[in-house]
Amino acid sequence: MDVIAIGMIQALVTAMGIWFLQQSLSKREKAAQRREQEREEMEYKLLTAVNASIALGEATAKAVQRIPDAHCNGDMTEALCYTTTVKHDLKNFLHRKAVEKIV
């Protein structure tokens, strides 16, 4: 009888240990998922901020170029061309990544 009781106690302790381990792993997995979602949201917001900065820079450069007394040199034109190129490169990169995710 004592052997059966000891076996039952061992089984109970083992089951409780496994349950505790599962709970611990579940909490870690939920925390990892939450961190991943926060990282994705941060990257999205950073990308949005970059796009807004590019749009503001383009609008400012175009507005300054229209002012007759501004005396824009070639640097403004080059910067505007570079910004447009970077904007299109970023858009193309994001489109490629979107297609990779879909396929």
Side-chain angles (χ1 to χ4, degrees):
M1 185 73 166
D2 292 332
V3 174
I4 294 174
I6 292 173
M8 290 176 68
I9 292 173
Q10 286 177 341
L12 181 63
V13 169
T14 303
M16 288 176 62
I18 291 172
W19 177 81
F20 180 74
L21 183 61
Q22 285 176 338
Q23 295 300 315
S24 177
L25 292 175
S26 175
K27 286 180 185 177
R28 285 184 183 181
E29 185 177 318
K30 287 178 184 177
Q33 287 175 348
R34 183 179 43 80
R35 282 192 306 269
E36 179 67 19
Q37 288 174 343
E38 289 172 354
R39 186 185 62 79
E40 287 177 6
E41 183 177 348
M42 181 191 69
E43 287 181 6
Y44 174 78
K45 289 181 179 186
L46 284 173
L47 185 60
T48 303
V50 167
N51 286 335
S53 296
I54 289 173
L56 178 63
E58 283 180 324
T60 303
K62 289 176 182 177
V64 169
Q65 283 179 339
R66 283 185 279 225
I67 299 173
D69 296 335
H71 302 295
C72 292
N73 57 13
D75 292 342
M76 179 73 77
T77 305
E78 288 177 22
L80 189 56
C81 289
Y82 177 70
T83 302
T84 304
T85 303
V86 169
K87 180 176 74 172
H88 291 297
D89 286 345
L90 180 59
K91 187 184 294 185
N92 291 337
F93 171 77
L94 292 174
H95 286 166
R96 277 196 317 268
K97 288 300 174 185
V99 169
E100 287 175 11
K101 282 283 192 182
I102 292 171
V103 176

